[in-house]
Amino acid sequence: MMVQGSACMGLEIIEIVEDDQGQAKLLDQILRQASFRTNVAFDGPSAMQDVWRIKPSLIMADDNLPGLSGREICKRLRQDPSTKYIPIILMSGYSSEERRVEALDGGADDFIVKPYAASELVARVRALLRRSQQGQGQEEELGEDLALTESLYVAVYRGQKLTLSVHEWKSLRRLTSTVGSVVPREELSTLLWGDDALMHDGEIDRCMEQLNKKLAGESPAAGHIKMVPGGFRLIIPPSEKPDIVQAQ
């Protein structure tokens, strides 16, 4: 079942996916009071239809939904070129590190634990929207064979286009700013999670592991991230200058 939220002055449409109607109503009110337009779905399949129909600016989905889980929604949307760059926030009443890591690795851009403070929730929504709207088509060449496209969270390595999560993109950009040098673990964690860095300490290792796999591809020698005492170091072997991906 799907209901249309009220239109507000803001241009951004937030898709709310929440099977608890009380929670859905509360979230809808919070976002509309912050001048967002909203669209509400109460199950995963309805949400997927909404997303393909209206192409929302951002999606907020409960992780445990009937018909299709929040993580499965992430997976399917990331596989579709027309929806793969829509920011997604997953919400859950479970605060375990494992649950957060699985959500972020599965394609979510952020993870919010219930109950949440309305002011923090709105701030996170606005931050994600800023990141998705800024730097359209901006490209940055970093080293001889690595380039990043900010608005799409894409890296081009040795001619191969790599689709990255927001956290992977930020980490790679920082690591490439001082190739071969150690980037402190604490610095990377703060870059990704700000004041909540301590809560996400274990997730930085998983993020580096996933990024390492994407850089290596089928060739372990293609480039990799080394974990060293106190932090991480990016090693990029010399190669030809890559083709640069244009924003789409």
Side-chain angles (χ1 to χ4, degrees):
M1 179 179 179
M2 180 274 294
V3 296
Q4 291 286 349
S6 300
C8 296
M9 294 300 293
L11 297 177
E12 297 92 349
I13 300 177
I14 311 298
E15 176 75 14
I16 299 169
V17 196
E18 172 62 75
D19 60 318
D20 184 314
Q21 295 197 21
Q23 286 288 327
K25 182 178 180 180
L26 174 62
L27 187 54
D28 179 62
Q29 290 176 340
I30 290 172
L31 292 172
R32 286 192 288 112
Q33 287 174 0
S35 297
F36 293 110
R37 290 186 292 169
T38 59
N39 196 76
V40 182
F42 299 122
D43 59 71
S46 296
M48 293 295 293
Q49 294 178 12
D50 290 347
V51 171
W52 287 322
R53 178 174 57 86
I54 66 177
K55 294 298 189 296
S57 304
L58 183 143
I59 299 164
M60 299 196 68
D62 185 72
D63 193 24
N64 187 24
L65 292 166
L68 205 63
S69 70
R71 274 173 285 178
E72 185 62 28
I73 289 175
C74 283
K75 179 180 178 181
R76 296 191 183 189
L77 293 180
R78 294 306 183 224
Q79 292 173 343
D80 186 332
S82 69
T83 59
K84 67 188 301 182
Y85 300 116
I86 297 176
I88 301 173
I89 297 176
L90 285 188
M91 304 173 291
S92 175
Y94 299 96
S95 59
S96 69
E97 177 183 317
E98 181 180 3
R99 182 65 66 95
R100 293 197 304 269
V101 169
E102 288 177 352
L104 295 170
D105 281 348
D109 297 289
D110 201 354
F111 185 86
I112 293 179
V113 177
K114 303 176 185 178
Y116 44 76
S119 57
E120 180 183 357
L121 182 144
V122 171
R124 291 193 182 204
V125 167
R126 286 175 174 159
L128 267 182
L129 287 172
R130 282 196 301 271
R131 289 203 293 267
S132 68
Q133 294 168 354
Q134 290 174 351
Q136 294 296 321
Q138 292 183 2
E139 294 165 356
E140 186 171 356
E141 189 174 335
L142 303 167
E144 294 182 351
D145 61 345
L146 180 66
L148 300 178
T149 304
E150 182 172 6
S151 60
L152 302 184
Y153 304 118
V154 166
V156 180
Y157 187 63
R158 303 195 74 180
Q160 298 297 314
K161 181 178 178 181
L162 309 177
T163 300
L164 307 177
S165 69
V166 175
H167 290 158
E168 290 167 351
W169 193 95
K170 284 187 173 183
S171 299
L172 185 57
R173 185 178 186 185
R174 175 61 187 90
L175 289 165
T176 53
S177 68
T178 52
V179 174
S181 299
V182 176
V183 177
R185 179 190 189 90
E186 181 178 349
E187 179 183 336
L188 272 180
S189 294
T190 301
L191 174 67
L192 301 185
W193 293 289
D195 294 338
D196 294 330
L198 289 177
M199 296 175 57
H200 297 267
D201 183 63
E203 296 173 32
I204 190 69
D205 297 311
R206 181 71 68 88
C207 180
M208 293 299 102
E209 179 183 351
Q210 294 299 318
L211 182 55
N212 208 11
K213 289 180 180 179
K214 291 181 180 181
L215 285 172
E218 297 180 357
S219 174
H224 60 275
I225 300 167
K226 284 189 174 181
M227 181 185 293
V228 296
F232 302 89
R233 178 165 52 204
L234 176 65
I235 307 297
I236 300 180
S239 64
E240 297 180 357
K241 185 176 179 179
D243 295 328
I244 305 300
V245 174
Q246 298 294 327
Q248 299 175 350

